[in-house]
Amino acid sequence: MQALAKYIAYKLKKEDHCAVYDVELDRVWPRNGIHRQKKIEEFAKDNGWRIGHYKDGFVAIFVKAPYPSATKLPKPEPTSTNRSAAT
């Protein structure tokens, strides 16, 4: 698993994504393993990446950073009506 993490980190220094095909995934997470996708996602998260795409039996695409959170919006500026109501 450590060798795979080093390989992905190396590729992500040069590119925005790293595709790891099933032949390599099978070495760490066999297809007969339970919750394979979840384990791969946890591996990505533990290393500061995320899975951009996953197709069981084919590929996992690791990407550099998580999607920006849509819930972190800037607070609206107070309007004159809000200020006068607070005083």
Side-chain angles (χ1 to χ4, degrees), residues 3-60:
L4 181 61
K6 285 182 181 181
Y7 169 76
I8 295 168
Y10 172 77
K11 294 295 265 184
L12 290 178
K13 284 182 182 179
K14 295 183 175 191
E15 300 177 25
D16 291 336
H17 69 280
C18 175
V20 179
Y21 293 93
D22 207 51
V23 174
E24 292 87 17
L25 295 173
D26 279 345
R27 295 178 186 165
V28 181
W29 304 283
R31 266 190 259 174
N32 61 356
I34 299 171
H35 307 293
R36 183 182 193 208
Q37 182 176 353
K38 185 176 180 178
K39 290 178 183 179
I40 295 170
E41 289 171 349
E42 288 173 4
F43 166 77
K45 184 179 178 181
D46 290 346
N47 286 283
W49 313 313
R50 69 175 171 82
I51 300 296
H53 177 76
Y54 177 79
K55 173 91 170 147
D56 193 33
F58 185 59
V59 68

